[in-house]
Amino acid sequence: MTSPSASSPPPLSPPLGLSSSKVLLLGEHAVVYGQPALAVGIPQGLSASISPPADPLLSSAPCRLLVPTWSNLSVHSDQPDAPVALALRAILSALGLSGHGLTIHVDAQIPPGVGLGSSASLAVALTRALATYHNIPLDFATLDRVCMAAERVFHGAPSGIDHSVAASGGVVRFLKGPILEPLSLASPLHLVIGVAAPGASTHLMVSGVRARVERQPKILHPIIQTIGSLVDLGVAALQTSNWTTLGELMDINHGLLCALGVSTAPLDQAVYIARAAGALGAKLTGAGGGGCIVALAQDPPSQHHIATALHTVCNEVLCPTLT
Ligand code: PMV
């Protein structure tokens, strides 16, 4: 690839890598122990574009990554310990690239670190953009391997659900492996997602659950299995548009996540506000300790009503409808 002269304007770079964000309707944490989970890809996600060096002198500079909507995040691939720089390095190395001279611009339509899978969406968008830019064929197994390397930086030992759903979009039943079963909806799924508090570290939340399970195995192993069972009942309810049952299972799942120790007062408060505003079910979503709740609405007017109620305690509220 030839570099433009120093005086030429930076080339227009169309987005090369897209990804969804995700919300877990049922099954977080238990999925780490081999239970199924029910996840929904949210079309609001990330797009990444790549610019070559504007000056040939910059062609050996470290790869730069800019995410203006995440408080003007700016890192480069030689930075020693910033987690995003470590993840970028993990992706470049797994793809066999140096990334030298490249600038990657990311347009992120979701907030980072609140349980919507932002780090996984970033990994998928970066991997897709770099693979397209360098003409590297990218099947799902390769994407999974590369994104897993990045996700380990943030999450320690992730199940892989976040980047799998960020890549696939849609509604899926997920099993660690990864085994993804795309699910079709007979009628629209109306959700409300509220960012109830700043997010906590997924790594710390997952290791906190592991420590609690090790302290109380007799009580918590059955709870993890029960979460797996309610996921499969939830999958059947979702496929038949039995929203009342799905909502009830979400409520039960929230209770079981409280038993695992991952809910907090702001998450519980948002869950109760959503239910009082007519949600068929509501629960924390993602790793917990902060971040988001997800509520199931009967129809668009109810979705609007729940969103209005959540605005009193949530900084940001999203109302995705999946068809
Ligand atoms: O990173 P989060 O908040 O989207 O949570 C991921 C889901 C967990 O089950 C808590 C962890 C995992 O790797 O599956």
Side-chain angles (χ1 to χ4, degrees):
M1 183 168 306
T2 53
S3 301
S5 73
S7 58
S8 61
L12 279 180
S13 39
L16 296 178
L18 301 175
S19 61
S20 308
S21 53
K22 71 95 197 38
V23 68
L24 296 178
L25 279 193
L26 298 169
E28 52 274 269
H29 286 290
V31 69
V32 173
Y33 298 81
Q35 298 296 329
L38 176 56
V40 174
I42 308 292
Q44 253 171 301
L46 270 64
S47 67
S49 53
I50 298 185
S51 311
D55 181 325
L57 289 174
L58 294 174
S59 59
S60 57
C63 179
R64 289 173 69 217
L65 170 63
L66 308 172
V67 193
T69 51
W70 286 355
S71 310
N72 276 323
L73 176 78
S74 167
V75 296
H76 63 76
S77 55
D78 279 3
Q79 238 164 286
D81 48 15
V84 178
L86 293 174
L88 174 62
R89 269 213 297 287
I91 291 170
L92 288 166
S93 146
L95 287 170
L97 300 170
S98 75
H100 284 163
L102 301 180
T103 302
I104 309 178
H105 301 257
V106 173
D107 177 22
Q109 293 167 23
I110 49 157
V114 292
L116 297 178
S118 56
S119 63
S121 299
L122 181 66
V124 171
L126 292 181
T127 304
R128 283 183 168 156
L130 285 162
T132 306
Y133 188 81
H134 290 281
N135 291 318
I136 299 171
L138 197 62
D139 57 16
F140 187 79
T142 310
L143 182 80
D144 180 53
R145 179 179 58 78
V146 175
C147 292
M148 198 58 135
E151 282 287 87
R152 280 197 196 100
V153 171
F154 295 106
H155 292 178
S159 64
I161 189 167
D162 286 8
H163 67 258
S164 298
V165 181
S168 71
V171 184
V172 295
R173 178 185 185 272
F174 174 92
L175 258 187
K176 212 165 147 179
I179 302 170
L180 271 87
E181 186 190 333
L183 305 172
S184 48
L185 296 169
S187 59
L189 172 68
H190 304 290
L191 299 175
V192 186
I193 299 166
V195 183
S201 146
T202 300
H203 196 158
L204 287 181
M205 297 312 294
V206 169
S207 42
V209 169
R210 188 168 298 282
R212 187 178 267 211
V213 169
E214 280 167 10
R215 282 194 304 274
Q216 304 292 348
K218 274 198 179 160
I219 307 295
L220 295 183
H221 279 305
I223 286 186
I224 284 168
Q225 273 172 7
T226 302
I227 293 176
S229 307
L230 72 78
V231 169
D232 279 328
L233 293 174
V235 167
L238 178 115
Q239 286 178 308
T240 52
S241 304
N242 188 341
W243 305 131
T244 311
T245 298
L246 180 60
E248 184 169 71
L249 292 166
M250 288 169 69
D251 287 345
I252 296 170
N253 196 171
H254 183 74
L256 298 176
L257 286 164
C258 291
L260 293 180
V262 298
S263 196
T264 61
L267 289 169
D268 287 345
Q269 185 192 24
V271 159
Y272 279 93
I273 286 175
R275 289 178 192 162
L280 299 172
K283 61 182 274 292
L284 73 85
T285 182
C292 289
I293 68 130
V294 58
L296 178 65
Q298 178 73 49
D299 50 29
S302 165
Q303 190 181 28
H304 179 74
H305 189 67
I306 297 163
T308 305
L310 281 177
H311 268 299
T312 58
V313 290
C314 293
N315 283 335
E316 201 163 333
V317 179
L318 311 176
C319 289
T321 290
L322 278 286
T323 52

